[in-house]
Amino acid sequence: MSQEPPQPAEDLELIQAVLQGDRERFGELVERYQGRLVNHLFRMLRSVEEARDLAQEVFFKVYQALDRYDPRYRFSTWLFRVAQNAAIDRIRKRRLQTVSMDRQPDPEGGSRSWEFSADGPDPYRELRSHELSLAIQRAIEGLPWEYRELIVLRHYGELSYGEIAELKEMPLGTVKNKLFRARQMMKEKLGDFLAE
Amino acid sequence: MNQEHDTYRLWLGAELDGELGPAERRALDGHLAGCEACRGERRALAALGRLLAAGRVAVEADFRERVMADLPPAAWEARTRRSWLAAAVLVAILAGGAALLLGTAAEPGLGVLGPLPVLLDLLASSALAGAGLLAASWRGLGMALQEALQASPWSFVVLGVLVVAVDLLLVLLLRRAAARASRSR
């Protein structure tokens, strides 16, 4: 694992400010990572609502453990590690409730993972977005677990290669190779949409 | 597809992710100029990137506010505030107690300032003994204890408690300095 501190200086500054009693500065960290975290969790959990709830919980956990944060590593890496663990716990709990993660999303039940806005300008477009989202979800879930994680971390968590390597504790070259293979599989699975 | 193409296709992925170095960029551009298959792969990867980006969801506008409103108190918050306060209050109470106790033994005629020199001596001894404890200077501690024992049993008790309080304060200071150094690394 990398021992360099290549994280943006602002993350560390914010953390230090929070630890010195400026609680509100934590909101800046939330703002900075909320979109990436919710999208990452959404693709892990298949449900927007659940992703938002869990993202909130992850921020709570991180806040409560902020004094144990090790600045030798990037904050983003730590945050996403907490999120990965929380998502895996959530998936395990679901499995205990006899819902298999390996099951393809049910087109009927799929609506719970996507929200239509009542005042949307174009219902057809929203339907198309819904179909696309489901197709992406199916393609991601059709990948082997390690590839699935990398695609989600890169495209929805928007982590850099360096951050993914640090998070997954794998060499940078391995990250590149696995992402390459994962994308080849994704292209095959999403061929119809890519041709449009 | 041969190995050379595999390398370029790895670089196409890095290009999509904005992680391509300048030297790789030059080599890739040179290759793409003469390779239609890799240009097609580049188009396909770009389309995949756009497709995946289109599958992102929006975060509610008030997400941050909700997180901050429900943010639970952290154990470290209480620790950092209370530990300083508790140590300071403890030292102040002990110092006050010591002043009262020693005031009764002070020389008459010195008024309210009577116990002050004695108290300062005692605090200095306590600080020395505290520092001595940390540095494992048992000799200094022994001397301080002997002096205290010779004065009165009350002095001995007060000195003992002050030593513990000063040690506690020093340990807190050291831990805080170590944590700050660790964070700033």
Side-chain angles (χ1 to χ4, degrees):
Chain A
M1 193 180 277
S2 167
Q3 294 293 305
E4 296 170 14
Q7 64 180 313
E10 313 90 70
D11 280 1
L12 196 55
E13 283 165 19
L14 287 173
I15 292 165
Q16 282 171 338
V18 175
L19 287 171
Q20 281 161 16
D22 193 350
R23 201 172 200 253
E24 286 308 306
R25 301 297 297 276
F26 190 72
E28 292 178 44
L29 282 170
V30 173
E31 183 98 43
R32 187 170 292 172
Y33 289 101
Q34 61 186 16
R36 296 162 58 180
L37 195 63
V38 167
N39 272 286
H40 170 254
L41 290 171
F42 167 51
R43 288 300 169 192
M44 298 283 287
L45 300 171
R46 287 193 285 166
S47 158
V48 181
E49 275 310 308
E50 218 176 339
R52 285 173 184 153
D53 285 350
L54 195 58
Q56 197 164 357
E57 275 179 36
V58 168
F59 281 121
F60 292 164
K61 275 185 189 171
V62 162
Y63 181 75
Q64 291 190 303
L66 207 59
D67 62 329
R68 296 198 296 275
Y69 164 64
D70 183 346
R72 284 177 301 168
Y73 305 109
R74 286 172 258 230
F75 174 72
S76 56
T77 309
W78 184 49
L79 176 71
F80 278 83
R81 182 172 291 135
V82 174
Q84 289 267 94
N85 292 338
I88 289 167
D89 279 351
R90 187 66 66 97
I91 291 166
R92 279 198 191 119
K93 277 178 197 161
R94 272 194 201 158
R95 279 185 177 154
L96 288 175
Q97 292 162 1
T98 70
V99 177
S100 168
M101 269 302 291
D102 297 328
R103 190 191 66 179
Q104 293 297 304
D106 177 1
E108 295 299 315
S111 60
R112 74 188 172 88
S113 67
W114 193 259
E115 292 175 341
F116 291 98
S117 62
D119 54 353
D122 184 349
Y124 174 76
R125 214 170 140 187
E126 291 215 9
L127 181 65
R128 194 81 189 106
S129 292
H130 182 208
E131 281 174 6
L132 173 63
S133 184
L134 282 180
I136 292 171
Q137 196 61 42
R138 283 194 199 100
I140 290 172
E141 287 177 11
L143 295 174
W145 177 258
E146 55 180 345
Y147 292 164
R148 187 193 309 188
E149 273 189 311
L150 293 194
I151 282 285
V152 171
L153 286 170
R154 174 66 210 120
H155 286 277
Y156 295 99
E158 297 174 56
L159 295 189
S160 68
Y161 289 174
E163 287 171 312
I164 296 173
E166 194 171 285
L167 174 64
K168 299 307 301 173
E169 297 184 26
M170 57 172 67
L172 210 60
T174 309
V175 172
K176 289 180 190 172
N177 273 310
K178 287 192 172 178
L179 262 175
F180 171 72
R181 287 193 206 117
R183 282 180 176 140
Q184 295 305 315
M185 290 182 200
M186 288 292 284
K187 277 197 301 168
E188 282 173 27
K189 291 171 192 294
L190 291 168
D192 291 345
F193 287 89
L194 288 171
E196 285 175 11
Chain B
M1 193 60 57
N2 62 31
Q3 202 171 352
E4 189 194 6
H5 279 272
D6 284 348
T7 303
Y8 288 124
R9 290 190 174 193
L10 269 180
W11 289 357
L12 286 173
E15 183 190 40
L16 178 72
D17 295 323
E19 304 236 8
L20 196 64
E24 293 165 338
R25 151 78 52 210
R26 280 192 296 276
L28 181 63
D29 286 345
H31 175 77
L32 285 170
C35 181
E36 173 52 33
C38 284
R39 285 201 299 273
E41 174 70 10
R42 184 197 224 176
R43 285 192 293 274
L45 276 178
L48 179 67
R50 284 194 299 274
L51 201 65
L52 294 179
R56 290 190 189 129
V57 292
V59 177
E60 300 141 301
D62 65 342
F63 183 85
R64 172 183 170 166
E65 283 68 34
R66 283 197 290 112
V67 170
M68 293 308 290
D70 296 338
L71 205 59
W76 56 262
E77 282 180 288
R79 231 179 5 247
T80 48
R81 277 188 212 141
R82 276 208 301 260
S83 55
W84 278 99
L85 196 63
V89 168
L90 183 64
V91 170
I93 290 171
L94 289 172
L100 278 175
L101 285 169
L102 294 170
T104 58
E107 287 177 34
L110 288 176
V112 288
L113 292 176
L116 195 60
V118 186
L119 184 61
L120 286 175
D121 270 354
L122 191 58
L123 281 170
S125 303
S126 306
L128 282 172
L133 262 182
L134 286 177
S137 173
W138 294 102
R139 189 163 168 249
L141 180 65
M143 286 166 65
L145 285 174
Q146 199 176 12
E147 277 181 22
L149 273 171
Q150 280 168 355
S152 78
W154 279 113
S155 299
F156 176 69
V157 172
V158 171
L159 176 66
V161 178
L162 270 173
V163 165
V164 172
V166 171
D167 281 348
L168 179 68
L169 195 60
L170 284 170
V171 167
L172 284 172
L173 283 170
L174 288 170
R175 282 186 60 183
R176 197 177 168 89
R180 189 175 295 151
S182 165
R183 277 199 296 275
S184 62
R185 265 200 308 272

